[in-house]
Structure formats: C-alpha cells, structure tokens
C-alpha cells in the first residue's frame, strides 16, 4: 500500500530491558518510510503497566505530508471501525485524528502541515 523502506529494532537491540527479559525479541520500534508517509509500530510488552487486550498489543501511527493518501488511509481504517478523534487541525499546527479499525487496532494519523501554513493560521 505505501511501499518504502522497513527498519525494525527490538528491545534487545537497544538494551532497553534486562538481559534476562523474555521480551528482548519484541519490537521496540519499527518504521516504514516512503516519500510522503511514515508508519511507526511497537509491541506492548508485559513489563509495561498496560493491560494487553486484543487491539492494543501494537501501537500504530501513520505520519507524513501526503494529505490525500493519509486522509484516504484514515477513511479506509474507519470503515466498519470507530473514529475516536476526527481528522482536524490541532494546536501544534498539524492535522491529527485517531481511529480504531474493524479489527480493534488503534491508529493515530498525523498529517504534517508546512510551516508557512501553520504560521499563517491556515
């Protein structure tokens, strides 16, 4: 769908957990980068105080400056899902929204707005 380059780092790669942790091979940060879209993902691990349930075991965020592609992705993810926060301009200047897809996975979408548009209050 997006193409691009994939880079994956585990918790073990960054020595972010004790050497005897059973979660060393879990994904600390995965990034798929294309010309205008950036997808980030990470595993939620048992060492965090988060109750892991279906849908929140992975964190997903799509960011970039390709507004038509990111708006289309938001729309496809929202089909038979639930919009948590509609795409709208935020106080930091970008367009942001969140959605839970039909499989129960939560997504954050952030569309970068050029600095000159942010400064102009567009």
């Amino acid at each position: 769908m997006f193409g691009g380059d994939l880079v994956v780092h585990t918790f073990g790669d960054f020595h972010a957990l004790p050497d005897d942790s059973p979660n060393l091979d879990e994904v600390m940060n995965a990034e798929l980068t294309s010309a205008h879209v950036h997808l980030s993902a990470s595993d939620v691990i048992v060492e965090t105080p988060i109750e892991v349930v279906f849908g929140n075991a992975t964190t997903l965020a799509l960011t970039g400056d390709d507004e038509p592609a990111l708006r289309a992705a938001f729309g496809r993810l929202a089909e038979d899902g639930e919009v948590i926060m509609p795409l709208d301009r935020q106080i930091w200047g970008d367009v942001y929204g969140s959605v839970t897809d039909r499989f129960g996975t939560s997504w954050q979408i952030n569309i970068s707005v050029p600095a000159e548009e942010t400064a102009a209050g567009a």
Side-chain angles (χ1 to χ4, degrees), residues 55-114:
N56 81 350
T58 303
T59 302
L60 297 171
L62 279 173
T63 61
D65 61 3
D66 188 337
E67 186 167 355
L70 290 166
R71 283 189 179 277
F74 187 91
R76 287 191 304 273
L77 291 166
E79 290 174 11
D80 297 322
E82 179 184 3
V83 173
I84 305 302
M85 179 181 231
L87 283 172
D88 201 1
R89 182 71 62 109
Q90 301 301 316
I91 60 172
W92 60 88
D94 290 348
V95 174
Y96 172 86
S98 61
V99 61
T100 301
D101 69 20
R102 66 180 179 226
F103 304 107
T105 301
S106 297
W107 292 80
Q108 298 177 48
I109 310 292
N110 192 86
I111 304 167
S112 300
V113 175

Side-chain angles (χ1 to χ4, degrees), residues 3-29:
D5 298 312
L6 177 65
V7 177
V8 178
H9 298 285
T10 67
F11 286 92
D13 291 339
F14 288 112
H15 306 287
L17 298 172
D19 290 339
D20 61 348
S21 172
N23 297 304
L24 293 175
D25 291 332
E26 299 296 322
V27 175
M28 183 173 173
N29 187 44

